[in-house]
Amino acid sequence: MINKISYALAFMLFICAGFIACTDDDKVKITEFTLTFTAPENLNVSGISDLQVSFKNINTGKLTTNKMSGTEGKITLNEGLYNISVEGKINYTVDERTIEGQVKGYKESVNIIGTTSTDNIKLFLFNSKADFVIEEIYFAGSTTPEGKQYLGDQYIKIYNNSDSVLYADGLVILESAFKTSQHFEFTPDVMSQAMVVQCVYAIPGNGKDYPVQPGESILICDKANDHREANSNSFDLRNANFEWYDETKNNMDTDNPEVTNLDKIYCYSNTIWVLNNQGLCAYAIARLKVDRNTFLTDYTYNATYISATGSSMNKSGYQVPNEWIIDAVNISNKAQYAWNVVDASLDMGYTYCGEVQLDKNRYNKSVRRKVLTTTIDGRKILQDTNNSTEDFEAQATPSLKQ
């Protein structure tokens, strides 16, 4: 009798389980997604083709790719939150000549939901002309043999990725005013036109004072000292090409008179500037197309936004037009990453040293641009696709450690 009852109960549980597993709520919901493309502005476009579109599901990590052409494409996807990237070809006319170029596009956190859904991505013309690129950023600093944090040895390396001599005179180093870990809706939103910055430091010179040969780097550091004297785990920066030095009333900064100082155009800090040692900013190199006084007068940025607590807040800084910017790199840590703080035409990805907030493993590491290839004469060509996720080695061994 007990066996019959047990069998009956087991059968009923099996039936219930089957019924529950087959409810509509548990079925994967599908969306027919229509993606439209907006051609780059100010171009006489005759055709867009060979678009390779990648959809990355943020929650699952699944990557789906699809080929599209023209200004619209359709795809069937599981409902979810996606990052979408696009690469393809474009034909446009200049002075009655047809030119074939490359276009790219990127959009974060696209919520694809419902039976049908639509969205639009603005395409931009990708210029692969070799120039200066950011080769490496060492922002997290090092640790002493006792395990204590040491920050004085931060540096940035800039590389001549072309096959001709370039001049570093007038290059500016920029730090974003927005954090990659905090996504707010800023009004006005100028990201498609400019990078909002909180630090601007320039390499001095009259135009041809600082030549950089093809395949060579310039090293820019915080303090051009032999840091091994204070921290045996660090390195000697006395041979740096430039250092950033901040004059303060209390002489908080140190200056190596043998190393040329950057010209300080603007910095939000009233004391000394250090790179964000968690890596929660974007960094860029650019050339200002106006003089210092005009920049400080005409390129201010003042915005409002709503904070996480619902309060109305103000944000100020300076805006550097995107067309002035040569290269940009978004940096975050993996757990805190919220958004890219420069336009997709400058950088479609991000790189990192830390996995989580205050990650102690980020110390003694840098982000370094990957080598794409090496020429016959031994010159390295670094990868530059305007996507820091692809172009950079995260959590890398600093080059000065090798």
Side-chain angles (χ1 to χ4, degrees):
M1 183 68 178
I2 293 175
N3 288 338
K4 288 183 179 181
I5 293 173
S6 298
Y7 177 80
L9 287 172
F11 181 74
M12 290 176 67
L13 288 172
F14 175 78
I15 294 296
C16 289
F19 176 76
I20 293 170
C22 294
T23 60
D24 290 339
D25 290 341
D26 288 342
K27 290 181 180 179
V28 176
K29 295 183 179 180
I30 303 297
T31 300
E32 185 182 81
F33 182 62
T34 300
L35 183 61
T36 59
F37 305 100
T38 300
E41 296 179 358
N42 303 319
L43 283 185
N44 185 12
V45 178
S46 57
I48 298 172
S49 61
D50 298 335
L51 296 178
Q52 184 78 15
V53 188
S54 298
F55 302 84
K56 185 173 183 180
N57 189 305
I58 296 174
N59 296 320
T60 67
K62 181 180 178 181
L63 185 67
T64 303
T65 60
N66 193 35
K67 291 185 177 180
M68 300 179 181
S69 291
T71 58
E72 182 177 301
K74 294 180 182 292
I75 187 174
T76 300
L77 295 166
N78 293 344
E79 283 190 347
L81 202 61
Y82 288 82
N83 289 340
I84 306 175
S85 57
V86 186
E87 294 187 19
K89 297 178 181 178
I90 187 171
N91 291 321
Y92 58 99
T93 304
V94 177
D95 297 330
E96 299 183 352
R97 294 182 298 111
T98 299
I99 299 173
E100 183 180 282
Q102 185 180 8
V103 286
K104 293 189 176 186
Y106 182 74
K107 198 165 190 177
E108 293 179 311
S109 302
V110 178
N111 193 16
I112 298 178
I113 190 170
T115 306
T116 61
S117 181
T118 62
D119 211 319
N120 175 267
I121 287 184
K122 292 182 179 180
L123 301 177
F124 60 86
L125 195 63
F126 176 69
N127 184 2
S128 58
K129 181 181 181 295
D131 203 330
F132 283 118
V133 295
I134 297 172
E135 178 184 0
E136 180 181 13
I137 307 178
Y138 181 74
F139 57 85
S142 54
T143 52
T144 66
E146 296 77 29
K148 295 182 179 180
Q149 183 185 46
Y150 183 86
L151 284 179
D153 51 3
Q154 293 179 325
Y155 67 81
I156 298 172
K157 290 180 76 173
I158 299 173
Y159 185 81
N160 180 354
N161 211 28
S162 76
D163 58 2
S164 58
V165 177
L166 298 176
Y167 293 89
D169 305 50
L171 275 180
V172 293
I173 311 298
L174 308 172
E175 182 180 72
S176 67
F178 302 154
K179 297 291 187 291
T180 55
S181 58
Q182 297 173 310
H183 188 181
F184 298 114
E185 300 294 334
F186 293 96
T187 303
D189 178 5
V190 299
M191 194 177 294
S192 62
Q193 293 86 41
M195 177 182 178
V196 179
V197 300
Q198 63 183 11
C199 293
V200 185
Y201 286 77
I203 294 175
N206 296 312
K208 291 191 174 181
D209 291 338
Y210 299 106
V212 184
Q213 299 298 319
E216 290 190 356
S217 304
I218 53 176
L219 177 62
I220 305 170
C221 69
D222 182 5
K223 295 177 175 61
N225 304 335
D226 184 355
H227 293 275
R228 298 172 300 180
E229 296 176 356
N231 176 14
S232 60
N233 290 335
S234 188
F235 25 75
D236 187 354
L237 289 174
R238 289 175 297 175
N239 292 322
N241 301 97
F242 304 95
E243 68 176 356
W244 62 84
Y245 172 69
D246 298 298
E247 292 186 6
T248 61
K249 294 181 180 179
N250 298 324
N251 295 322
M252 296 178 64
D253 210 352
T254 57
D255 182 27
N256 182 346
E258 301 298 320
V259 176
T260 303
N261 291 332
L262 299 181
D263 291 335
K264 183 177 180 179
I265 296 176
Y266 172 76
C267 185
Y268 72 98
S269 174
N270 292 323
T271 54
I272 59 175
W273 177 49
V274 294
L275 306 180
N276 188 295
N277 82 336
Q278 288 202 73
L280 301 179
C281 293
Y283 294 91
I285 53 176
R287 292 189 185 277
L288 302 185
K289 300 298 178 67
V290 296
D291 61 66
R292 181 181 186 276
N293 291 334
T294 300
F295 176 74
L296 293 176
T297 301
D298 296 347
Y299 290 84
T300 57
Y301 175 78
N302 296 285
T304 59
Y305 67 97
I306 303 301
S307 71
T309 60
S311 301
S312 179
M313 305 290 289
N314 298 318
K315 184 70 176 179
S316 62
Y318 284 87
Q319 47 186 314
V320 178
N322 291 338
E323 60 263 29
W324 296 2
I325 295 176
I326 299 168
D327 190 32
V329 180
N330 287 292
I331 302 175
S332 182
N333 63 60
K334 292 181 73 174
Q336 287 185 282
Y337 170 74
W339 68 321
N340 287 348
V341 295
V342 298
D343 188 64
S345 62
L346 301 177
D347 188 13
M348 297 188 294
Y350 80 101
T351 187
Y352 61 93
C353 279
E355 296 281 344
V356 296
Q357 184 179 12
L358 301 176
D359 189 348
K360 293 182 179 180
N361 293 320
R362 74 186 186 277
Y363 299 124
N364 306 298
K365 295 176 183 176
S366 71
V367 294
R368 294 178 63 181
R369 192 176 290 272
K370 299 175 184 176
V371 176
L372 178 64
T373 188
T374 304
T375 63
I376 295 176
D377 60 1
R379 178 172 61 87
K380 294 178 181 178
I381 299 176
L382 303 185
Q383 183 167 307
D384 183 22
T385 68
N386 286 12
N387 185 336
S388 292
T389 304
E390 303 296 331
D391 293 343
F392 276 79
E393 178 187 355
Q395 301 177 314
T397 299
S399 59
L400 297 188
K401 291 274 190 182
Q402 295 180 331

